[in-house]
Amino acid sequence: MIIVLRAHASEEDIRRIEETLKGIGLAAHISRGVERTIIGAIGDERKLVTDLFEGLPVVEKVLRVLSPYKLVSRDFQKEDTVIDVNGKKIGGSAIVLFAGPCSVEGREMMLEIGDSVARSGAAFLRGGAFKPRTSPYAFQGLKEEGLKCLAETRERTGLPVATELMDPRDIDVVARYADIIQIGARNMQNFRLLTEVGKLDKPVILKRGMSATIQELLMSAEYIASEGNRNIILCERGIRTFETITRNTFDVSAFPVLKSLTHLPVIADPSHAAGKASLVEPLAAAAIAAGADGLMIEVHNHPEKALSDGPQSLRPEVFERMIARLKNVAEAVGRTL
Amino acid sequence: MIIVLRAHASEEDIRRIEETLKGIGLAAHISRGVERTIIGAIGDERKLVTDLFEGLPVVEKVLRVLSPYKLVSRDFQKEDTVIDVNGKKIGGSAIVLFAGPCSVEGREMMLEIGDSVARSGAAFLRGGAFKPRTSPYAFQGLKEEGLKCLAETRERTGLPVATELMDPRDIDVVARYADIIQIGARNMQNFRLLTEVGKLDKPVILKRGMSATIQELLMSAEYIASEGNRNIILCERGIRTFETITRNTFDVSAFPVLKSLTHLPVIADPSHAAGKASLVEPLAAAAIAAGADGLMIEVHNHPEKALSDGPQSLRPEVFERMIARLKNVAEAVGRTL
Amino acid sequence: MIIVLRAHASEEDIRRIEETLKGIGLAAHISRGVERTIIGAIGDERKLVTDLFEGLPVVEKVLRVLSPYKLVSRDFQKEDTVIDVNGKKIGGSAIVLFAGPCSVEGREMMLEIGDSVARSGAAFLRGGAFKPRTSPYAFQGLKEEGLKCLAETRERTGLPVATELMDPRDIDVVARYADIIQIGARNMQNFRLLTEVGKLDKPVILKRGMSATIQELLMSAEYIASEGNRNIILCERGIRTFETITRNTFDVSAFPVLKSLTHLPVIADPSHAAGKASLVEPLAAAAIAAGADGLMIEVHNHPEKALSDGPQSLRPEVFERMIARLKNVAEAVGRTL
Amino acid sequence: MIIVLRAHASEEDIRRIEETLKGIGLAAHISRGVERTIIGAIGDERKLVTDLFEGLPVVEKVLRVLSPYKLVSRDFQKEDTVIDVNGKKIGGSAIVLFAGPCSVEGREMMLEIGDSVARSGAAFLRGGAFKPRTSPYAFQGLKEEGLKCLAETRERTGLPVATELMDPRDIDVVARYADIIQIGARNMQNFRLLTEVGKLDKPVILKRGMSATIQELLMSAEYIASEGNRNIILCERGIRTFETITRNTFDVSAFPVLKSLTHLPVIADPSHAAGKASLVEPLAAAAIAAGADGLMIEVHNHPEKALSDGPQSLRPEVFERMIARLKNVAEAVGRTL
């Protein structure tokens, strides 16, 4: 931590800050510049609250030297985390494919979509049983009924299931059916929920919040990791910007940036980023080219009748042809799909 | 709802959309322009999913005519909602003042701050017992212990207590001690939590999410209202933008815009918006001038030792002097503080 | 400037950076922390390109200690700049009022609006003769003809004229008629234009760009100041954010923040920020409450026929009543209007 | 154009709007819904100012049906524009490569970089002689001297030259040396400059402004096209968002979105978007995968000594290896590089 003092700071001010630092077990390194005096705090800065100094009238600014996360950082673990789910690996050289409807709308549709995405090469099934909807009047999901449909589809297709958890009170029922627990974008900073999934021994997909910085995403992952669960899959799904022509702005830089900062796998959700079926393929291709470890794609057998996210869902046959083309992109960057 | 068709839409396409509209109980009004055909759907558009049409290849765009919220809209209720808490009114001509520390850090500090803000004219006490913190390693609040300190301070000062609820599992304990329940910015779209507080008969402060539009804020209020609880206080606390010199950008337009769209009271949290003590007064004054119904201000007896948000907390004596000056601004716009 | 090295930096790396710093006349102050080595560069950091170090593989980040602007900073000049235009003062305790139409549309309308705003207490006339329009098919302004109308209105009313300059080739004609030159938001980083107005001896209103940070606004002011012209008036007119219900988000924090960083006067343009006539008064009141030194308001005698910005223009009688109320707000914060 | 009236609009209000529409040559189509009356304006809505109606008290909102640009739209021209520069085609199936330093810093460096990028497969040379710099104290470019270096490099390598024009007063000198004129992000809405390059018969690269929507980018292209110059190349170079870990957020969705809305070629500038050399390759790969027609890459023989943008410049040998890998990505999406 570096503390930059204002031009008018006195020797007495400097001495007092030195004392405070000592009090929390840090050494002070003082550097007197031409226009400003700077105090470097030496020791483990993670234990200190930068707030303690930011509020002081003689302090101009406080700059952190280290990142505020630790367990999820590349510094802490050099090699990539590879997560094994029933023998399928996430974070290795093969790019994994999660596919399925936005919401589970019924047993038949789930089985039909499951069969179809399994044939097209999906490794995991996705589908929401508990749905976060902006409107209280919109379809909220089939809840446990939906989870059962997912489980039955898993049995039939062999594809493990990823599904969203919205409420700590549902953790038992969701964990009973799901192979991977998903934390949605709107819950990325629902810290109590993060703490709970941190105690599970199931992998967690953590979606980036609509206005979360990459550092905040990593801090939320640190919440999960700090409780013991290190099987975390990060997911870029678009951020909120001034541009309104797309539902969200897909931050494709997040893949190389995250892969340099953390050892965790990072997947892409181009469906939510785009909000339009016609954009899913170019964004999926871009994600692969930029280093994503997986894709999560919304597939629906009747998008025009979908109870949620119809406009961005692909028909099974469109999905199948897209996957064939994306395999080429994966190979072009030295990976498989 | 207005459906704009692409240039190439055929008569058959138009007929099919008309059918679909009929199927959901809406009449179609067709208008053939020079370059585009437009279909107006007549009936209660709230019951329909615009998604049904957005996904169709012949549809260029779908425009909503009505707002997606109802109970909280000015159209639904013309006169202002005034909320009565132990005889104190929120949403009337008097601007109300919530004051207290960011976190409850102990009994003594709470009593000391409570005495002081009561003397300065605060109408409500604020203080967090459950704290949402970006870092898992930061102070997470005193929990029930903190709620007890708040209750004791209420007894001594007579000030009703507003405190945050983060988890549906804590609803009983928080409701037992709090007079007003606060939903934090990070939980504005925690729809399960909204549904739960919608079932309470206690007023709810709903803070705007960091990247929530005004319409989304109103949709979240609609969640609460749709469960029966109409005692909702909206709170503007700054939004996330590209500007980094302030912690958040205080969206002062939100006051007049919200007051025109909804009958609910709207208060300001300049402390979180600013992130710096020196900005609290100018932002509080701006909020009052723009039509805010209340202020929520962080006050701490020892900001330099605060376990959270020290840099933006005011010392009691600074708070007191500020209130004196803000009274003038309130009077200048025909209100009292 | 502080250079934070990566964990793996060697003694040889450190030595090499020390050399480079010496080469540009700066002393290096080395501080070896537990996890990182930090190099402080001592001397005038404004002369060095932080880029020189950011690109090095052993450098994790480079942090600036000083602001990159100088002449416009409070450090450089403690007391407020007060600009005198024909005896009227901008930046003093009186809040000044610029009023007039968005575009000059003709002689009659200009004279009529001029008379009216003069009566209501405006100190300066505003009106665009050269108009930056998003569409090439929209009205582009009356050009010199418009400037003449402004000059005639000034003669009749005694109000000095502020008008926009868009192109360095028009500088002579605009300077011939205008008392204050305005640089629009879209030209805030038109550095060649800034350099030209920096050579004039007329005051310049510099509007903040739609996505400009406060620091960038100050850097653009520094461009003007560095050429010799110190009579610069900064203008907050709303920034671009994800919120679409207002045309721009009025950044009311900019007033106290700018007043602390610079000695220049700062005015508000609530008309452009809001984009709606009904929001102009609350935003103007908020700006005054937060410390603005002036207001720029669009007034039109027939807003429903305006060739540009009609929806946000006030009728003269609405303007007059607003000013009466705003006087109270100005007094409440110890100023006059 | 669709005009949505407020709930309280009277028959008289409706009649008056109908009149106004007639007055500008448009027919009114009235649709009375349950909660709102809607008026559709039939005719060429481009000629009317939506402002005329937005300001009326009885109008709730005005919705445009058609895009405000015409000449650059896919509706106007179905087939892709392919621009021929000395026999090299931009916008065809081959992805073109612009490479060179950010700024021309001298003759030697330019010749050396030119030789090197020509060997690696660049089709065009880039390099700035007039540089828009945030600070007035930073290197501003070699001006005509720099243009001469570019011309000499073109003679030696055979690569046509693209370089930036910042000021209409420089148009003759820049046009004398350049094969393609570049309009920088900060000048995307410098409408006078757009009008001037619209009169040239040289291709123009138009960079997207930092906070420009895709629609605004197309409107700026329309400015150029409306003056007669249809040889316009659009360039995505990152937009400004709340994320600060990258200099800008590279909006990879812009490629498929623009290709659907316009017939113009669209290229990518991953160097400016990223701000870091290590991100250039993944972003370039993503751009190709998403449908970009070209890449503009900063290459410098001594990035650590560059006078601008060193941190994001690639060394020639790094550039060469990157191109080899990107060829595979281009092939994977059915194109060549």
Side-chain angles (χ1 to χ4, degrees):
Chain A
M1 190 180 58
I2 293 160
I3 302 167
V4 179
L5 302 185
R6 289 191 193 281
H8 60 74
S10 69
E11 284 304 311
E12 172 58 21
D13 291 327
I14 295 170
R15 210 194 42 73
R16 227 171 315 144
I17 290 175
E18 229 179 321
E19 295 278 285
T20 311
L21 284 171
K22 244 181 245 167
I24 50 175
L26 295 163
H29 185 103
I30 295 163
S31 157
R32 288 173 171 83
V34 177
E35 305 193 37
R36 292 286 186 283
T37 293
I38 290 165
I39 302 178
I42 299 178
D44 181 7
E45 73 174 34
R46 274 186 204 88
K47 58 180 161 179
L48 60 86
V49 191
T50 57
D51 285 4
L52 288 182
F53 302 95
E54 269 174 10
L56 299 178
V58 297
V59 170
E60 189 164 291
K61 52 185 165 184
V62 178
L63 309 163
R64 294 190 80 104
V65 172
L66 298 179
S67 65
Y69 47 85
K70 184 165 180 171
L71 303 175
V72 303
S73 75
R74 274 273 178 218
D75 275 1
F76 183 77
Q77 180 188 313
K78 292 271 168 293
E79 62 284 359
D80 285 349
T81 286
V82 178
I83 298 171
D84 188 306
V85 185
N86 306 353
K88 301 188 178 195
K89 293 189 163 40
I90 305 171
S93 72
I95 294 167
V96 292
L97 204 49
F98 295 77
C102 177
S103 309
V104 180
E105 293 167 19
R107 187 177 166 276
E108 255 83 299
M109 73 83 85
M110 204 53 235
L111 293 173
E112 190 182 332
I113 297 175
D115 284 351
S116 148
V117 300
R119 265 200 314 275
S120 306
F124 297 90
L125 211 55
R126 65 144 289 153
F130 295 92
K131 294 300 304 172
R133 302 303 300 275
T134 309
S135 168
Y137 310 123
F139 173 63
Q140 308 277 322
L142 293 180
K143 307 203 171 72
E144 186 163 2
E145 198 47 43
L147 294 172
K148 285 181 184 161
C149 300
L150 284 167
E152 190 182 344
T153 314
R154 170 180 47 203
E155 257 173 77
R156 177 146 135 179
T157 59
L159 302 187
V161 160
T163 196
E164 181 162 352
L165 172 70
M166 285 175 65
D167 187 328
R169 295 171 301 178
D170 300 327
I171 198 160
D172 290 340
V173 66
V174 173
R176 197 175 321 131
Y177 295 98
D179 301 290
I180 303 179
I181 308 273
Q182 182 180 311
I183 300 295
R186 287 178 181 77
N187 280 316
M188 191 202 87
Q189 293 195 317
N190 184 336
F191 302 117
R192 299 291 290 269
L193 198 59
L194 299 179
T195 301
E196 292 304 326
V197 298
K199 294 174 188 155
L200 289 180
D201 66 347
K202 279 186 192 281
V204 176
I205 293 175
L206 178 64
K207 289 193 146 190
R208 182 179 181 184
M210 244 179 322
S211 67
T213 61
I214 282 177
Q215 179 168 302
E216 286 169 344
L217 172 60
L218 290 171
M219 286 307 290
S220 287
E222 186 84 7
Y223 253 97
I224 300 172
S226 71
E227 293 291 334
N229 189 349
R230 307 280 171 94
N231 289 323
I232 306 162
I233 302 151
L234 304 174
C235 180
E236 162 65 30
R237 44 77 74 207
I239 58 173
R240 181 158 274 184
T241 71
F242 62 84
E243 178 60 78
T244 53
I245 215 166
T246 39
R247 182 185 285 189
N248 297 283
T249 296
F250 188 55
D251 183 8
V252 77
S253 312
F255 302 104
V257 169
L258 280 168
K259 298 300 286 181
S260 76
L261 296 175
T262 181
H263 49 84
L264 297 173
V266 187
I267 67 170
D269 176 350
S271 306
H272 278 91
K276 273 181 207 155
S278 63
L279 294 177
V280 172
E281 179 167 343
L283 296 191
I288 293 174
D293 295 312
L295 298 174
M296 179 171 268
I297 309 278
E298 289 188 356
V299 178
H300 198 290
N301 43 358
H302 299 293
E304 72 288 356
K305 292 187 184 158
L307 295 177
S308 62
D309 283 351
Q312 73 204 31
S313 296
L314 302 185
R315 288 170 196 285
E317 63 276 17
V318 173
F319 176 70
E320 188 171 6
R321 288 194 299 266
M322 175 182 83
I323 296 306
R325 286 186 295 257
L326 292 178
K327 279 180 196 295
N328 296 331
V329 181
E331 271 165 43
V333 293
R335 302 184 74 167
T336 58
L337 178 68
Chain B
M1 188 182 58
I2 293 160
I3 301 168
V4 179
L5 302 185
R6 289 189 194 282
H8 60 73
S10 68
E11 285 304 311
E12 173 58 21
D13 291 327
I14 295 170
R15 211 193 43 72
R16 227 168 319 142
I17 289 174
E18 230 179 321
E19 295 278 284
T20 311
L21 284 171
K22 243 179 249 170
I24 50 178
L26 294 164
H29 184 103
I30 294 164
S31 159
R32 287 176 172 80
V34 178
E35 305 192 38
R36 293 286 187 280
T37 292
I38 290 165
I39 302 177
I42 299 178
D44 181 6
E45 73 174 33
R46 274 185 204 89
K47 58 181 161 179
L48 61 84
V49 191
T50 57
D51 285 4
L52 287 182
F53 302 95
E54 269 175 10
L56 299 179
V58 298
V59 171
E60 190 164 289
K61 50 185 166 185
V62 178
L63 309 164
R64 295 189 80 103
V65 172
L66 299 178
S67 65
Y69 47 86
K70 182 164 183 174
L71 304 174
V72 301
S73 75
R74 273 275 179 217
D75 276 359
F76 183 78
Q77 180 187 312
K78 292 271 168 294
E79 62 284 0
D80 285 349
T81 287
V82 178
I83 299 170
D84 188 307
V85 185
N86 306 352
K88 303 190 178 193
K89 293 190 162 41
I90 306 172
S93 74
I95 294 167
V96 292
L97 204 49
F98 295 77
C102 177
S103 308
V104 180
E105 292 166 22
R107 188 177 166 276
E108 254 83 300
M109 72 84 86
M110 204 53 236
L111 293 173
E112 190 182 331
I113 297 175
D115 284 350
S116 147
V117 301
R119 266 199 314 275
S120 307
F124 296 91
L125 211 57
R126 62 145 291 154
F130 294 93
K131 295 299 305 172
R133 302 302 302 275
T134 311
S135 167
Y137 310 123
F139 174 63
Q140 308 277 323
L142 292 181
K143 310 201 169 71
E144 186 164 1
E145 198 47 42
L147 294 172
K148 284 181 183 159
C149 300
L150 284 166
E152 192 182 343
T153 313
R154 170 179 48 202
E155 256 174 79
R156 176 145 138 181
T157 60
L159 302 186
V161 161
T163 196
E164 179 162 354
L165 172 69
M166 285 175 64
D167 186 328
R169 296 171 302 178
D170 300 328
I171 198 160
D172 290 341
V173 67
V174 173
R176 196 174 321 132
Y177 296 98
D179 301 290
I180 302 179
I181 307 273
Q182 181 179 313
I183 301 294
R186 287 178 182 79
N187 280 317
M188 192 202 85
Q189 293 196 317
N190 184 336
F191 302 116
R192 299 292 290 270
L193 198 59
L194 299 179
T195 300
E196 292 304 326
V197 297
K199 294 173 188 157
L200 289 180
D201 68 346
K202 278 185 193 281
V204 175
I205 293 174
L206 178 64
K207 290 193 145 190
R208 181 179 182 186
M210 243 179 324
S211 67
T213 61
I214 282 176
Q215 179 168 302
E216 286 169 343
L217 172 61
L218 290 171
M219 287 306 291
S220 287
E222 185 84 7
Y223 254 98
I224 299 172
S226 70
E227 294 291 333
N229 189 349
R230 306 279 171 95
N231 289 323
I232 305 162
I233 301 151
L234 304 174
C235 181
E236 162 65 30
R237 43 77 74 208
I239 57 174
R240 181 160 274 184
T241 71
F242 62 83
E243 178 61 77
T244 53
I245 214 167
T246 39
R247 184 186 284 189
N248 296 284
T249 296
F250 188 55
D251 182 8
V252 79
S253 313
F255 302 104
V257 169
L258 280 168
K259 296 301 286 182
S260 75
L261 297 175
T262 182
H263 48 84
L264 298 173
V266 187
I267 65 170
D269 175 350
S271 306
H272 278 91
K276 272 181 207 155
S278 63
L279 295 177
V280 171
E281 180 168 342
L283 296 191
I288 292 174
D293 295 311
L295 297 174
M296 180 171 265
I297 309 277
E298 290 189 356
V299 178
H300 198 289
N301 42 358
H302 299 294
E304 71 288 354
K305 289 187 184 157
L307 294 177
S308 61
D309 283 351
Q312 74 204 31
S313 295
L314 302 185
R315 288 171 196 285
E317 63 276 16
V318 174
F319 175 72
E320 189 171 3
R321 289 194 299 265
M322 175 182 83
I323 296 307
R325 287 186 293 259
L326 292 179
K327 278 180 198 295
N328 296 331
V329 180
E331 272 164 43
V333 293
R335 303 183 75 167
T336 58
L337 180 68
Chain C
M1 190 182 58
I2 293 160
I3 301 168
V4 179
L5 302 185
R6 289 189 192 282
H8 59 72
S10 67
E11 284 304 310
E12 173 57 21
D13 291 326
I14 296 169
R15 209 193 44 73
R16 228 171 315 144
I17 289 174
E18 230 178 323
E19 295 277 285
T20 312
L21 284 171
K22 242 180 249 169
I24 50 176
L26 294 163
H29 186 103
I30 295 164
S31 157
R32 288 176 171 80
V34 178
E35 306 193 36
R36 292 287 186 280
T37 293
I38 290 164
I39 302 177
I42 299 178
D44 180 6
E45 72 174 33
R46 274 187 204 89
K47 58 181 161 179
L48 59 84
V49 191
T50 57
D51 286 4
L52 288 182
F53 302 96
E54 269 175 9
L56 299 179
V58 298
V59 171
E60 190 164 288
K61 51 184 165 186
V62 177
L63 309 164
R64 295 189 79 103
V65 172
L66 298 179
S67 66
Y69 47 85
K70 184 165 181 173
L71 303 174
V72 302
S73 75
R74 272 274 179 220
D75 275 1
F76 183 78
Q77 180 187 314
K78 292 271 169 294
E79 63 285 0
D80 285 349
T81 286
V82 179
I83 298 171
D84 188 308
V85 184
N86 306 352
K88 302 188 178 193
K89 292 189 162 42
I90 306 171
S93 73
I95 294 168
V96 292
L97 203 49
F98 294 77
C102 177
S103 309
V104 180
E105 294 167 20
R107 188 177 166 274
E108 254 82 299
M109 73 82 86
M110 205 51 237
L111 293 173
E112 190 182 332
I113 297 175
D115 284 351
S116 147
V117 301
R119 266 198 314 275
S120 307
F124 296 90
L125 211 57
R126 63 145 290 153
F130 295 93
K131 296 300 304 172
R133 301 303 301 274
T134 310
S135 167
Y137 310 124
F139 174 62
Q140 308 277 323
L142 292 181
K143 310 206 168 71
E144 187 164 1
E145 197 48 42
L147 294 172
K148 284 180 184 160
C149 300
L150 284 166
E152 191 182 343
T153 313
R154 170 180 48 202
E155 257 173 77
R156 176 146 138 180
T157 59
L159 301 186
V161 161
T163 196
E164 181 162 353
L165 172 70
M166 285 175 66
D167 186 328
R169 294 170 303 178
D170 301 327
I171 199 160
D172 290 341
V173 67
V174 173
R176 197 174 322 133
Y177 295 97
D179 301 289
I180 302 180
I181 307 273
Q182 180 179 313
I183 300 295
R186 288 179 182 78
N187 280 316
M188 193 201 86
Q189 292 195 319
N190 184 336
F191 301 117
R192 299 290 290 269
L193 198 59
L194 300 179
T195 301
E196 292 304 326
V197 297
K199 293 173 188 156
L200 289 180
D201 67 346
K202 278 184 193 280
V204 175
I205 293 174
L206 178 64
K207 289 193 145 190
R208 182 178 181 185
M210 243 177 327
S211 66
T213 61
I214 283 177
Q215 179 168 303
E216 286 168 344
L217 172 60
L218 290 171
M219 286 307 291
S220 287
E222 185 85 6
Y223 254 97
I224 299 172
S226 71
E227 294 291 334
N229 188 349
R230 306 279 171 94
N231 289 323
I232 305 162
I233 301 151
L234 304 175
C235 180
E236 162 64 31
R237 43 79 73 208
I239 58 173
R240 181 159 274 185
T241 71
F242 62 83
E243 178 61 78
T244 53
I245 214 166
T246 38
R247 183 186 284 189
N248 296 284
T249 296
F250 188 55
D251 183 8
V252 78
S253 312
F255 302 104
V257 169
L258 280 168
K259 298 300 286 181
S260 76
L261 297 175
T262 182
H263 49 84
L264 298 173
V266 187
I267 66 170
D269 175 351
S271 306
H272 278 91
K276 273 180 206 157
S278 63
L279 295 177
V280 172
E281 180 168 342
L283 296 192
I288 292 174
D293 295 312
L295 297 174
M296 180 171 266
I297 309 277
E298 289 189 355
V299 178
H300 198 289
N301 42 358
H302 299 294
E304 71 288 356
K305 290 186 184 159
L307 294 177
S308 61
D309 283 352
Q312 73 204 31
S313 294
L314 302 185
R315 288 172 197 284
E317 63 276 16
V318 174
F319 176 71
E320 189 171 3
R321 289 195 298 266
M322 175 182 84
I323 296 306
R325 288 186 293 259
L326 292 179
K327 278 180 197 294
N328 296 331
V329 181
E331 272 165 43
V333 292
R335 303 184 75 167
T336 58
L337 179 68
Chain D
M1 190 181 58
I2 294 160
I3 302 168
V4 180
L5 302 184
R6 290 191 192 281
H8 61 74
S10 69
E11 284 305 310
E12 173 58 20
D13 290 327
I14 294 170
R15 209 194 42 74
R16 226 171 317 143
I17 289 175
E18 229 178 322
E19 294 278 285
T20 312
L21 284 171
K22 244 181 245 167
I24 50 175
L26 294 164
H29 185 104
I30 296 165
S31 158
R32 288 174 171 84
V34 177
E35 304 192 38
R36 292 286 187 282
T37 293
I38 289 165
I39 302 177
I42 299 179
D44 180 6
E45 73 174 35
R46 274 185 204 90
K47 58 181 161 180
L48 60 85
V49 190
T50 58
D51 285 5
L52 288 182
F53 303 95
E54 270 175 10
L56 300 178
V58 297
V59 171
E60 189 164 289
K61 53 184 164 185
V62 178
L63 308 163
R64 295 190 80 103
V65 172
L66 298 179
S67 66
Y69 47 87
K70 184 165 180 173
L71 304 175
V72 302
S73 75
R74 273 274 179 220
D75 275 1
F76 183 78
Q77 180 188 313
K78 293 270 167 295
E79 62 285 0
D80 285 349
T81 287
V82 178
I83 299 171
D84 188 307
V85 185
N86 305 354
K88 302 188 178 195
K89 292 188 163 41
I90 305 172
S93 73
I95 294 167
V96 292
L97 203 50
F98 295 76
C102 177
S103 309
V104 180
E105 293 167 20
R107 187 177 166 273
E108 253 84 298
M109 73 84 84
M110 204 54 235
L111 293 173
E112 190 181 332
I113 297 175
D115 284 351
S116 146
V117 300
R119 265 198 314 275
S120 306
F124 296 90
L125 210 55
R126 64 145 288 153
F130 295 92
K131 296 300 304 172
R133 302 302 301 274
T134 309
S135 168
Y137 310 123
F139 173 62
Q140 309 276 324
L142 292 181
K143 309 203 168 71
E144 186 164 0
E145 198 47 43
L147 294 172
K148 285 181 184 160
C149 299
L150 284 166
E152 190 182 344
T153 314
R154 170 179 47 202
E155 256 173 78
R156 177 147 137 179
T157 59
L159 301 186
V161 160
T163 196
E164 180 162 353
L165 172 70
M166 285 175 65
D167 186 329
R169 295 171 302 178
D170 300 327
I171 198 160
D172 289 339
V173 66
V174 173
R176 197 174 320 134
Y177 295 98
D179 301 289
I180 303 179
I181 307 274
Q182 181 179 312
I183 301 294
R186 287 178 181 78
N187 280 316
M188 191 202 87
Q189 292 195 319
N190 184 336
F191 301 118
R192 299 291 290 269
L193 198 59
L194 299 179
T195 300
E196 292 304 325
V197 297
K199 294 174 187 156
L200 289 181
D201 67 346
K202 279 185 191 282
V204 175
I205 294 174
L206 178 64
K207 290 193 146 189
R208 182 179 182 185
M210 245 179 322
S211 67
T213 61
I214 281 176
Q215 179 168 302
E216 287 169 343
L217 173 60
L218 290 170
M219 285 307 290
S220 287
E222 186 84 6
Y223 254 96
I224 300 173
S226 70
E227 294 290 334
N229 189 349
R230 307 278 172 94
N231 289 323
I232 305 163
I233 301 151
L234 304 174
C235 180
E236 162 66 30
R237 44 76 74 208
I239 58 174
R240 181 159 275 185
T241 71
F242 63 83
E243 178 62 77
T244 53
I245 215 167
T246 38
R247 182 186 285 189
N248 296 284
T249 295
F250 188 56
D251 182 7
V252 77
S253 312
F255 302 104
V257 169
L258 280 168
K259 297 301 286 181
S260 76
L261 296 175
T262 182
H263 49 83
L264 297 173
V266 187
I267 66 170
D269 176 351
S271 305
H272 279 91
K276 271 180 208 156
S278 63
L279 294 177
V280 172
E281 178 166 345
L283 296 191
I288 293 175
D293 295 311
L295 297 174
M296 180 172 266
I297 309 277
E298 289 188 356
V299 177
H300 198 291
N301 43 357
H302 300 294
E304 73 287 357
K305 291 186 184 159
L307 294 177
S308 62
D309 283 351
Q312 73 205 32
S313 296
L314 302 185
R315 287 171 197 284
E317 62 277 16
V318 174
F319 176 71
E320 187 170 6
R321 288 194 299 265
M322 175 183 84
I323 296 307
R325 286 186 294 258
L326 292 178
K327 278 179 197 295
N328 296 331
V329 181
E331 272 165 42
V333 292
R335 301 184 75 169
T336 57
L337 179 69

